Amino acid sequence: MKQLFKLLAVSLLFLNNGLSVVGSDEVSVSVMEGDTVTLIYAETNKQEDIKWYFNYTQIAEIVGNHTKIYTDKQGEERFGNRLKVNQTGSLTITNITNTDTGLYKLQINSSSEKIFNVTVNDVPAAELHEIKRKSVKEGKSVTLDPDILKNPNDTIKWYFNDILIAEITGDQSKICTDIQCKQRFRDRLKLDHQTGSLTITKTRTTDSGDYKLQIISSRFSIVRNFGITATIDVSGLSAGAIAGIIIACVVLNAVCSGFSSLLFQRY
């Protein structure tokens, strides 16, 4: 009998705090620190009252055309300005941290709900840097790994400096459909359908820049940022070649400085 009363008490506690999970639709989301995560609800209409909760506390609301982020002291300390909610009812958390791990509940018209169990993996700073920032010698290959369990139904998109360069949708893949992308990479991009990873072969210094991975499922999306720095490999150059490069750089700098001085004197 005591066990029954305890069970009832726990159930009432969850109900009173707005986190009943009885009959709810629960989705597990695993992300890495620094990711941007969107918990998707794309069925809203103007008549729906949408409320978002995080571990018993309401954090956002949509009523008609009006959206509101709750900014009490506890919410500001935890999320700051990292929460966004759009008119579709989806909630976005930018630059996610391990303190954001927990249950997020979407409540629709106080009658139905969806639970998102979000886990933020705590990665040591040194390892996180190695995962997200890659340094490679010119001519070598480099692989950007999503480091996440890929669902066959997920859509994987890779961007370079905000330009879409590769995409996996189900069994189909596309690489460099844009002319600018084709000219830059010229068949040097490889996609792994099992992991979603992107490999750049025969890297060039012009491949240096910001790369973005977007993983889109029916219930959530994750954005992860990477950076590549491709440098000239001088190990195979002779001392004379290295000296020539240095001299060329010095001469070019002198020419540019002299040209700047002439312009300054003229004006």
Side-chain angles (χ1 to χ4, degrees):
M1 183 63 70
K2 288 183 178 180
Q3 293 297 327
L4 178 60
F5 276 116
K6 286 183 180 179
L7 181 60
L8 289 172
V10 171
S11 299
L12 286 172
L13 176 64
F14 273 87
L15 285 169
N16 288 335
N17 286 285
L19 267 177
S20 169
V21 294
V22 178
S24 64
D25 184 4
E26 183 169 336
V27 177
S28 294
V29 185
S30 179
V31 297
M32 186 183 295
E33 283 187 282
D35 289 348
T36 293
V37 183
T38 299
L39 307 179
I40 297 174
Y41 178 64
E43 305 166 15
T44 190
N45 58 61
K46 294 182 179 180
Q47 286 71 45
E48 289 182 334
D49 183 3
I50 303 293
K51 294 181 180 179
W52 279 99
Y53 295 85
F54 171 67
N55 290 351
Y56 318 123
T57 303
Q58 186 173 357
I59 57 175
E61 182 177 36
I62 302 176
V63 179
N65 292 323
H66 301 285
T67 63
K68 181 178 181 181
I69 300 293
Y70 285 83
T71 54
D72 60 353
K73 184 177 181 181
Q74 182 180 359
E76 286 182 355
E77 290 175 352
R78 179 181 297 277
F79 293 107
N81 60 354
R82 296 184 298 111
L83 289 182
K84 296 179 181 179
V85 62
N86 63 25
Q87 283 296 320
T88 68
S90 299
L91 177 75
T92 297
I93 311 158
T94 60
N95 195 24
I96 201 164
T97 69
N98 55 8
T99 60
D100 300 333
T101 291
L103 293 180
Y104 291 78
K105 188 188 77 167
L106 168 64
Q107 189 176 65
I108 307 101
N109 292 336
S110 301
S111 58
S112 62
E113 61 187 42
K114 301 178 187 297
I115 301 293
F116 296 83
N117 189 353
V118 177
T119 301
V120 183
N121 297 299
D122 188 6
V123 183
E127 292 184 20
L128 189 63
H129 180 80
E130 289 181 4
I131 292 171
K132 294 192 173 185
R133 306 298 304 181
K134 300 284 188 178
S135 181
V136 60
K137 298 294 185 182
E138 189 177 30
K140 303 295 184 180
S141 296
V142 61
T143 298
L144 301 178
D145 192 344
D147 197 30
I148 193 170
L149 185 62
K150 179 182 174 295
N151 187 300
N153 296 321
D154 290 346
T155 294
I156 302 290
K157 293 185 177 183
W158 284 99
Y159 296 84
F160 172 63
N161 293 343
D162 293 326
I163 298 172
L164 181 64
I165 59 175
E167 181 178 0
I168 300 175
T169 304
D171 295 330
Q172 304 297 317
S173 65
K174 297 178 183 178
I175 296 179
C176 279
T177 57
D178 180 83
I179 294 178
Q180 182 180 353
C181 177
K182 288 180 178 179
Q183 290 176 342
R184 177 182 292 275
F185 291 103
R186 293 182 183 176
D187 300 323
R188 294 185 297 111
L189 298 181
K190 307 292 183 183
L191 277 172
D192 187 318
H193 276 263
Q194 297 298 318
T195 64
S197 65
L198 176 73
T199 298
I200 306 170
T201 62
K202 301 177 182 178
T203 55
R204 305 169 180 171
T205 55
T206 53
D207 298 335
S208 299
D210 296 322
Y211 291 78
K212 181 173 72 176
L213 164 68
Q214 185 177 25
I215 304 170
I216 306 171
S217 78
S218 60
R219 299 301 303 278
F220 62 87
S221 71
I222 300 171
V223 172
R224 184 165 297 164
N225 294 299
F226 297 83
I228 289 180
T229 302
T231 57
I232 298 174
D233 187 1
V234 298
S235 60
L237 297 178
S238 64
I242 295 174
I245 292 174
I246 294 173
I247 293 172
C249 290
V250 171
V251 171
L252 180 62
N253 183 62
V255 170
C256 291
S257 298
F259 184 68
S260 298
S261 299
L262 287 174
L263 285 177
F264 181 77
Q265 293 174 1
R266 183 175 181 181
Y267 294 99

